[in-house]
Amino acid sequence: MISNGNKEELLKLDIACKDWGFFQIVNHGMERELMQRLKDAVAEFFEFPIEEKNKYAMPPDDIQGYGHTSVDWSDHLVLIVHPTRFRKPQFWPENLKDTIEEYSSEIQRIGEELINSLSLILGLEKHVLVGLHKEVLQGFRVNYYPPCNTPEKVLGLSSHSDARTIAIVMQDDNVTGSEIRYKGNWVPITPIPGALVVNVGDVIEILSNGKYKSVEHRAMENKNKRRTTYVSFLFPRDDAEIEPFDHMIVDENPKMYKEIKYGEYLTHMRKRKLEGKTHINAIKINEWIGE
Ligand SMILES: O=C(O)CCC(=O)C(=O)O
Ligand SMILES: [Fe+2]
């Protein structure tokens, strides 16, 4: 893991965020046993009969709970896990709650360390970025992709960029499916056992005035194998103001994005379907099509 302040590691992080927007971390300090425990408990949950899973069903006007994507071939469970006052315990499956609690507190530690490193590569003091969040919120989303007879005809999850600060993803070890768009091609992310995949979200792209990219990604289906991904999103409080840092705006790279309250950005994004980078493009200067 990037130890804060280690110049060589920070340089690697800078390159990864500029070129790819994605990287994998290995020495993150999360116990392999805890990672496996979460995988086992989630597998148990998705194998429950539908009536059992529907006890946690996402109501039409909510973003938390168990549900299905409308156009894609996957199910999900979505929870806000941090801070605790935003939790809705009615959506926390009984067999998962203790493990999610433990896993998400490790993710909070790892995620805040990563945000501190991003603060440093953005040329700021270590804690500036966390401060700008007002509070670092954490969402947890499990994506469950069942085996599919016609994997070439449907997607597990349509192409999108994440509207968050960063996403930290645990994948299955032996199944592929995640792909990122790199120089016009779709590149699979090969799982490294025990590693966590990290990707830069729209918030970092906006704050860095486009230097670090929130890269488009999608999930493919597999014919004979199911696949599960465990995605933790870190993001600012709704009232945090998001706009490019002054020092990232230079003559060769004029200000690319308008200032926006994070909550407003999310509201605007939720009105649109998942489609590449349309949300962030909408707040680009000269392209604003919001309210
Ligand atoms: O499951 C994957 O491979 C990607 C999931 C993802 O991008 C998301 O949930 O935002
Ligand atoms: Fe994503």
Side-chain angles (χ1 to χ4, degrees), residues 22 141 143 145 157-158 160 162 167 169 171 177-179 189 199 217-220 227-231 233:
F22 268 77
R141 174 180 169 119
N143 296 299
Y145 308 103
L157 195 60
S158 298
H160 63 283
D162 293 329
V169 184
Q171 306 201 72
S178 299
E179 294 189 340
I189 307 178
N199 69 283
H217 52 282
R218 66 181 186 182
M220 307 301 283
R227 193 172 82 99
T228 313
T229 52
Y230 313 77
V231 187
F233 295 108

Side-chain angles (χ1 to χ4, degrees), residues 4 112 115-116 119-120 124-132:
N4 292 329
E112 291 195 15
I115 296 175
N116 287 341
S119 197
L120 292 172
L124 303 161
E125 295 288 330
K126 184 169 158 181
H127 297 290
V128 170
L129 208 47
V130 163
L132 185 143

Side-chain angles (χ1 to χ4, degrees), residues 126-152:
K126 184 169 158 181
H127 297 290
V128 170
L129 208 47
V130 163
L132 185 143
H133 282 63
K134 302 210 166 170
E135 276 175 293
V136 178
L137 276 64
Q138 188 189 149
F140 180 63
R141 174 180 169 119
V142 181
N143 296 299
Y144 175 79
Y145 308 103
C148 170
N149 282 333
T150 52
E152 62 294 339

